[in-house]
Amino acid sequence: MRTRRGLQLAVLAGMLGLTLSTPAGAEARDISRDTLAPNDGWASAGGGTTGGSTADDAHVFTVRNRSELVRALDGGSATPKIIRIAGTVDANTTDDGDRLDCDDYAADGYSLKKYLAAYDPRTWGSAKPSGPQEEARQASAARQAERVELAVGSNTTIVGLGDRAVLKGASLQLRDADNVIVRNLELRDAYDCFPVWQPNNGGLGDWKTAYDNIWLRGATHVWVDHVTLSDKGHLDEDEPTYFARNYLRHDGLLDITNGSDLVTVSWSRFADHDKAMLIGNGDTATGDRGKLRVTLHHNEFEGVVQRAPRVRFGQVHVYNNRYVVPEDVHDYRYSLGVSTESAVYAENNAFTAPGHIEVADLVKSWNGTALHATGSLFNGYPVDLLTIYNAYNSGSERDLTADVGWTPTLHGEIDSARTADREVARSAGAGRIR
């Protein structure tokens, strides 16, 4: 990991206009046995997060294709293991490495044309889809899931080798896993070939997709660092519209649900996506109380429409992050989502947005009651995010208080939003560990 001295040198070099790089002929530092530093967010609590750092030599793998990755993951076993990804690994491939597309997964006579004809709301109505085409869609989806859903077990470290390691089309599933590290890896295009139509979702109906790039369900002690997550290859905004709704192909980039706890996400990049990060999956999931403790620091959210993050129940520390809303972003909605019993403590985050985006647009509340937000920067100017939000939304949403009931203690030095904006732009994402 980057040491405090390393960070200080990087900042000093930036001030002097210098670039720190590995000398010619020198080998890049091996990060595969790194562990999370003390006090680096919630994942450092309760014994910390060490991943597969204790793995013996027999359980250190370098993988170059899906088959090798599956063997290394060992069905999600808890055996300490280190998995190094070299080059591009594509999940949508056969065991022999042949590329698979959506037609290859289609089963039992499924076709999108037939599916759309069968469940057109004008003739089908508002009932949940059922019958031959929905059954065929489910069978087809199951075939794709066998390929792209990859179980990650406890005591595992997954790292990318070099500056260009990519995991394409996969959904890493951390289900009831403890002590996992994912670093220095680009995860792109977890593309669902078979979205399901939900007629009553949101009142107008909507398409629901299956795969997150990384999905934590009941996972604990997880450190995600210097990863890049995006829809690169198949942007949802380029997909057609069916039943007057965008035919979405991607779910979340990184979702943290079902009682997951003690998670740190640092120096990562979330880009070109609709729903980036959901923390807590339901308003009635009261078993999540006391869990969903997450730290997000020094991350970049660029071209993200919403959920950066959206939080239920959890104590979530959001500090020194960089938010960029491009001029041509598709249907921007909000960045910070405050939902049932959430306790978001936001400090020194920088937001850049085009002229039609207001400060009050950065926050959205559903049954939320509180948000701590200090040190915010909007287009280079200090703003009181909470006061402005309450002033603009008092007629339609309840005012949020600043008292979220806790104060973060597990963190390093917190930079100004201006400094963080600059440093995150330079250093967040895969291939940028120094």
Side-chain angles (χ1 to χ4, degrees), residues 172-204:
L172 294 181
Q173 309 252 321
L174 282 62
R175 187 168 189 171
D176 300 323
D178 178 68
N179 193 30
V180 176
I181 295 172
V182 183
R183 300 184 76 201
N184 196 44
L185 182 64
E186 180 180 354
L187 298 103
R188 72 168 69 144
D189 196 21
Y191 184 85
D192 187 353
C193 288
F194 308 102
V196 60
W197 174 244
Q198 296 187 322
N200 294 311
N201 190 14
L204 299 175

Side-chain angles (χ1 to χ4, degrees), residues 20-38:
L20 297 181
S21 59
T22 303
E27 293 185 5
R29 182 173 62 85
D30 181 9
I31 65 169
S32 59
R33 292 191 185 272
D34 284 357
T35 61
L36 181 64

Side-chain angles (χ1 to χ4, degrees), residues 268-388:
S268 293
R269 186 169 188 268
F270 300 79
D272 304 324
H273 187 80
D274 185 355
K275 304 177 181 72
M277 184 186 299
L278 181 65
I279 301 176
N281 58 305
D283 292 341
T284 61
T286 54
D288 286 344
R289 287 173 179 151
K291 302 177 181 178
L292 299 172
R293 291 173 291 179
V294 179
T295 299
L296 307 177
H297 74 83
H298 295 94
N299 302 293
E300 180 177 67
F301 297 88
E302 182 173 6
V304 168
V305 174
Q306 57 186 317
R307 298 185 182 178
R310 177 178 175 179
V311 182
R312 297 179 175 95
F313 295 104
Q315 293 181 339
V316 180
H317 192 194
V318 182
Y319 76 89
N320 280 172
N321 298 287
R322 179 176 193 259
Y323 295 82
V324 180
V325 183
E327 287 284 348
D328 59 348
V329 71
H330 180 68
D331 190 27
Y332 173 79
R333 297 187 183 182
Y334 67 91
S335 293
L336 302 177
V338 181
S339 298
T340 302
E341 297 185 33
S342 62
V344 177
Y345 201 103
E347 294 183 275
N348 297 18
N349 299 291
F351 301 85
T352 301
H356 66 279
I357 303 296
E358 302 281 354
V359 174
D361 296 328
L362 303 177
V363 177
K364 177 66 177 174
S365 174
W366 299 262
N367 300 318
T369 60
L371 169 66
H372 176 100
T374 56
S376 303
L377 207 64
F378 182 75
N379 288 341
Y381 293 93
V383 293
D384 186 335
L385 186 56
L386 181 61
T387 298
I388 294 173

Side-chain angles (χ1 to χ4, degrees), residues 153-171:
S154 300
N155 308 312
T156 298
T157 291
I158 301 174
V159 298
L161 287 180
D163 295 343
R164 294 180 176 82
V166 177
L167 181 55
K168 178 181 177 183
S171 177

